Amino acid sequence: MNEDVKKYLQENRDAHLEQMKELLSIPSISSLSEHKEDVKKAAEWLAMALKEAGVENVKVMETKRHPVVYGDWLKAEGKPTVLIYGHYDVQPVDPIELWETPPFEPAIRDDKIYARGASDDKGQVFMHIKMIEAILKTKGELPVNVKFCIEGEEEIGSPNLDPFVDEHHDLLSADVLLVSDTSMLEKGKPSVCYGLRGLCGLQIDLKGAKGDLHSGIFGGAVQNSIHALVELLATMHNDKGQVTVEGFYDKVRPLTDEEMQTYEELSNDEKMKKQLGVKELFGEEGYSSIARTWGRPTLEINGIYGGFQGEGIKTVIPSEAHAKITCRLVPDQDPKEIADAIVKHIDKHLPPGVTVETTLFDQAKPFITPYDHPAIEAAGKALKEAYHVDPTYARMGGSVPIVETFNTKLGLPAVLMGFGLDEENFHAPNEHFHLENFDKGLMALVDFLFELEYAE
Amino acid sequence: MNEDVKKYLQENRDAHLEQMKELLSIPSISSLSEHKEDVKKAAEWLAMALKEAGVENVKVMETKRHPVVYGDWLKAEGKPTVLIYGHYDVQPVDPIELWETPPFEPAIRDDKIYARGASDDKGQVFMHIKMIEAILKTKGELPVNVKFCIEGEEEIGSPNLDPFVDEHHDLLSADVLLVSDTSMLEKGKPSVCYGLRGLCGLQIDLKGAKGDLHSGIFGGAVQNSIHALVELLATMHNDKGQVTVEGFYDKVRPLTDEEMQTYEELSNDEKMKKQLGVKELFGEEGYSSIARTWGRPTLEINGIYGGFQGEGIKTVIPSEAHAKITCRLVPDQDPKEIADAIVKHIDKHLPPGVTVETTLFDQAKPFITPYDHPAIEAAGKALKEAYHVDPTYARMGGSVPIVETFNTKLGLPAVLMGFGLDEENFHAPNEHFHLENFDKGLMALVDFLFELEYAE
């Protein structure tokens, strides 16, 4: 399929790689103010590349810090519109001495390109642009409508993306979101990610007596805030690894038989045990490891502290004890409802002799594009064509805040089709990108647009 | 009783107070090496005072750091021997600017003498010497045999007392130990302390995965070490405030009906709640607050830590979690047995997916001289004579390591008859000692020796 487009890509591969090196050589580190001009330079470089590819209405749009690059091609009347998201900012490069070649002097070794941003995410943004260019140069038109939204603040938490989307609601409206900023399952195993877990959490601060007490004088007669805390926290799980907060599972969408089976097959417990250095895994009874991390919610205590932490002994009854909790949520749990349920649980199970304060953390909604959604199926077909294997329909256990932004504000289902590999050192020295996935990924992206043309 | 002795004390009161000021003006701070010579000077001052009082075989005996002052009077053939323990070293004086008069320039105001060491413990050591002097000067002999052992390292944990007692076992052998280094119940309410709680404890270190993990990637599939820790710790108490470690209460000597009643009467829960700033007290069901702190054992978590403790949120599954536990023990619990029982409990209740290491802390045996012991009764009678009220037969919830030393190594029952008051700022600026208790205490100490003559 689309042999002409692919031929164009093959013939221009060397030129494209030279262009990618140009982009990767711009030190667009969003967190460091001394690189503000470099970030802007990268935005302008992308605007130029989009224009040269044939994208229209290209503009570099200012935000409070780093700009968003926008462009569109909207001539496929009656066809779906894809919003393509990516980011052109990168992580800092410290410790610089561990880089084999300088982070902003891109170098190709062993069919991999080494540079900060090669995989996360400038390399993949570059692929999106080249996909469009190849189709337009060979066919004169795109099979679907396309909009680009490339931000420069992802590595600092996208502080201006929400207001930007609010302000430009119509400009960004589309039918589906395409993001290439996630990883493949492993080398040679492409995947489409169709679901992300959400997040909510809170801090628990318990207080007993007004100050720390001498256990020789008061020990036995007054509540110890750590005792109260561990008793309270221990009520939140049972020995089957289930969360015992009332209502926690009420809105959880059950995994389908197909998902259960796929996740079971994907689970490699021996490998995970070795990776984590544990003798046994532990989690919710009745679910495979992959089902537990992709499709089931959790309540995790991320931190606990109170009393004496120094060396040796101090016979103190601590006045205060603290814990931090976050939950990973799955469709159709609501972060606010779950946080409320936990607060209720705390009030109900609070041991005597202490007072409690709870402080809510930021929340993120879980997200799912059903794996039989046409856009997901289109991505699957395109990946199979490019890699000659069945792709995995995967979820991720974490959150990708920008997906929630576009889903919540614009109602977009998302296709997360990434071509990075976990071992490619995102955020670390010697970041690189496998050119095998540059080539096959480009093919898959081209086919995806054509599959999408008729998907419904 | 002993009107001649008491008359002597009254007539020489002013001279004695001047002498006490001399002793208190020596900055015998044992923890600060620049005061090493002062500590020695205080020891020599005491040796001189003992000799002048008529005590024999007085010597300043070197240890690895600060000396012990010894002296005896052993001419009461066939009578019991009292070993009198005290310490002549004092705490540092910081923050010096909070003292109304300089810590080593003793000053009398409102019938109290202000100086570092006035109450803890040089003032009370001085009383012991004057008691002996008064009896010998008026009667020419003591009703019982007496040995003095006055150390200079109590405020730094008596590091050389154990080896000293081992080395001088025969020199120090006696029938009963007298210590005046504890507090009265409150002003006007003398007490004899006949029991102390012991101590044992341990640190628990749990480890799950070999490093901290991202809860988005692994959350749900691997044990969280903090979950394991809170679940483990929560198994150590029930909701009645009882310790649920198997065998914990097996050797606990039950409180007598008389003790239960006395402790109930002494408990002032409203006062304690106000003092501690809590709305309710909490402890072992079926016992009053005083019974809980004096006569019942505890298991306290003194510290807990693991995972993220900074501001806000970090979605980490912590690799490690830690807790520090100490138990206050009562007769006839054995610290080693209890520590073993806790280790066994931990092994039995350890949740899956983690490994545990335990490290034992120092141990102290609980101590009791039955309150109907002749020496305790003698102390009670002497206090009643001096204060004209029934003294309280009390225990203490803490440990006094030196009592355990003399009890274990020399088999001595102990009479803890202290004349300090909790509000007298031991270890704090403006330490002072009420002269009312200097006078009445001296009378009580004199009568105690005579009561002891016939006690059996």
Side-chain angles (χ1 to χ4, degrees), chain A residues 10 20 63 71 101 109 150 172 177 197 215 315 325 330:
Chain A
Q10 279 153 9
M20 182 156 79
T63 73
T101 47
R109 298 192 290 277
I150 316 175
L172 299 171
L177 177 73
R197 291 198 288 193
S215 81
T315 51
I325 288 177
V330 299

Side-chain angles (χ1 to χ4, degrees), chain B residues 339-366:
Chain B
D340 286 349
I342 297 172
V343 171
K344 231 177 249 171
H345 180 96
I346 290 168
D347 289 340
K348 187 173 167 191
H349 292 87
L350 190 70
V354 289
T355 56
V356 65
E357 273 189 34
T358 53
T359 311
L360 297 189
F361 294 144
D362 284 349
Q363 303 180 343
K365 285 190 184 149

